[in-house]
Amino acid sequence: MTNRPAPSLVGRLWAGQTLPVVVVVTLVLAFWYAMVIPMNAQRLRTTFENNNQAYTFSDLAGAAFDMEKPNLPAPHQIVAEMQKTIVDMPMTSKRSLVYHGMITLESTLTGFIVGSLFGILLAILIVHMKSLERSLMPWIVMSQTIPILALAPMIVVIFNQFDVPSIAAKAAISAYLSFFPVTVGMVKGLRSPDPLQLDLMRTYSASRWQTFFKLRLPASVPFLFTSLKVAVAASLVGAIVAEMTKSEDGGFGARLLAGSYYGQTIQIWAALMTAALCACLLVALVGLADNLVARRMGAAR
């Protein structure tokens, strides 16, 4: 029997997730910096020529990384904007991304909770009533073919007519986007038990609800949390789209719209990156809940 040599530090890092992620992020940043120069070159050439100023490639590259309103900002410009609007600015300021993030997250979480509960209820009904599957599933699938950019303004206008608080309209759009993955995932999860297991429950004379709580529901948990990760990210997108329709309330969508209106590309990218970080945080929290529930159920993760 031969003893295999212990893997090196680089080998251990590569076998995990840290080093592959670092390599991919480094490649993306290198490609990003490389694209900043050609994306902004035409405007810089025009500026140099209008000022009758001779320039070299290094002058062009240096100016491309330091433009006030670039077509494509460099990553360090976005980080500086996030530092200014997240860390240095008071949270109560309407120019703070923390202020806008709290508004977006409030709508996102409200819509996510409502949409998830509605999706779970629909899945339970569909699994236990064949007629609902034939009558509802086509409409559920069809509902997701409607462009959210066309639907969001109509929902906001309808809610405004009845003087419903604006958070309800934004949460309704978030719930609309989040209920579908939860419904589909839960239907698949509730039907995942093996037919032999269902036959065994019948031999025990288990009732429909006993079969549901002791067999179908535990089997559906992995499917549920997978769909919840998709749903929470979709909820954030729905809230941002709604805020672009009703921008006076603030939020990431309003920030994106204001940046687009005034040509502040760095502001747009900073809001976009902060929204992406919020989505990552929400997905991580759902993943943490998934691990806690799995350990509680005795599953090793």
Side-chain angles (χ1 to χ4, degrees):
M1 183 176 179
T2 59
N3 294 327
R4 292 183 178 180
S8 63
L9 177 62
V10 176
R12 292 198 301 273
L13 289 174
W14 188 256
Q17 295 181 342
T18 304
L19 190 56
V21 170
V22 170
V23 170
V24 170
V25 171
T26 304
L27 291 176
V28 170
L29 288 177
F31 179 73
W32 191 333
Y33 271 109
M35 290 303 297
V36 168
I37 299 173
M39 288 294 292
N40 300 312
Q42 185 58 45
R43 288 176 56 193
L44 290 171
R45 286 195 194 97
T46 304
T47 303
F48 282 127
E49 290 169 0
N50 289 340
N51 294 331
N52 294 321
Q53 182 180 353
Y55 61 91
T56 62
F57 178 77
S58 60
D59 297 328
L60 201 69
F65 292 138
D66 198 29
M67 288 182 71
E68 185 178 353
K69 295 182 179 180
N71 292 332
L72 178 63
H76 68 270
Q77 291 178 291
I78 299 172
V79 172
E81 176 70 13
M82 292 172 67
Q83 165 83 19
K84 184 177 72 176
T85 54
I86 295 176
V87 179
D88 299 338
M89 198 165 288
M91 294 171 56
T92 54
S93 171
K94 291 191 175 182
R95 296 183 61 190
S96 168
L97 283 177
V98 178
Y99 170 82
H100 292 284
M102 295 299 290
I103 294 173
T104 301
L105 288 177
E106 185 181 15
S107 306
T108 298
L109 293 176
T110 305
F112 170 67
I113 293 171
V114 173
S116 299
L117 292 176
F118 184 60
I120 292 172
L121 178 63
L122 272 180
I124 294 173
L125 293 174
I126 288 171
V127 167
H128 289 92
M129 301 173 70
K130 293 290 184 184
S131 58
L132 281 182
E133 180 183 7
R134 291 192 293 271
S135 60
L136 277 184
M137 278 306 287
W139 291 104
I140 291 173
V141 174
M142 192 181 298
S143 68
Q144 300 302 304
T145 64
I146 302 173
I148 189 62
L149 285 175
L151 187 65
M154 289 189 289
I155 293 177
V156 171
V157 169
I158 291 172
F159 276 65
N160 281 341
Q161 286 181 344
F162 295 98
D163 293 328
V164 178
S166 60
I167 186 176
K170 293 186 283 186
I173 297 168
S174 293
Y176 169 78
L177 289 183
S178 62
F179 92 94
F180 178 74
V182 175
T183 303
V184 174
M186 274 299 285
V187 168
K188 189 173 179 62
L190 291 172
R191 287 179 174 165
S192 61
D194 193 274
L196 292 176
Q197 294 174 316
L198 294 172
D199 289 339
L200 182 62
M201 294 298 287
R202 293 191 194 96
T203 61
Y204 290 157
S205 299
S207 66
R208 175 175 291 190
W209 287 112
Q210 286 175 322
T211 303
F212 174 78
F213 283 109
K214 294 183 182 298
L215 181 59
R216 289 187 186 275
L217 190 60
S220 70
V221 170
F223 297 88
L224 172 63
F225 278 102
T226 301
S227 59
L228 286 178
K229 292 175 185 175
V230 178
V232 75
S235 294
L236 183 69
V237 173
I240 291 175
V241 171
E243 287 162 355
M244 296 181 77
T245 304
K246 194 172 177 59
S247 60
E248 62 269 21
D249 295 333
F252 285 134
R255 189 73 172 171
L256 291 171
L257 195 63
S260 175
Y261 184 77
Y262 294 108
Q264 296 287 347
T265 49
I266 299 177
Q267 176 181 313
I268 295 174
W269 279 90
L272 191 64
M273 288 297 172
T274 308
L277 291 176
C278 287
C280 292
L281 176 63
L282 293 174
V283 172
L285 289 175
V286 175
L288 179 63
D290 183 14
N291 286 333
L292 291 175
V293 172
R295 288 179 184 176
R296 185 76 177 176
M297 295 174 65
R301 292 287 178 92

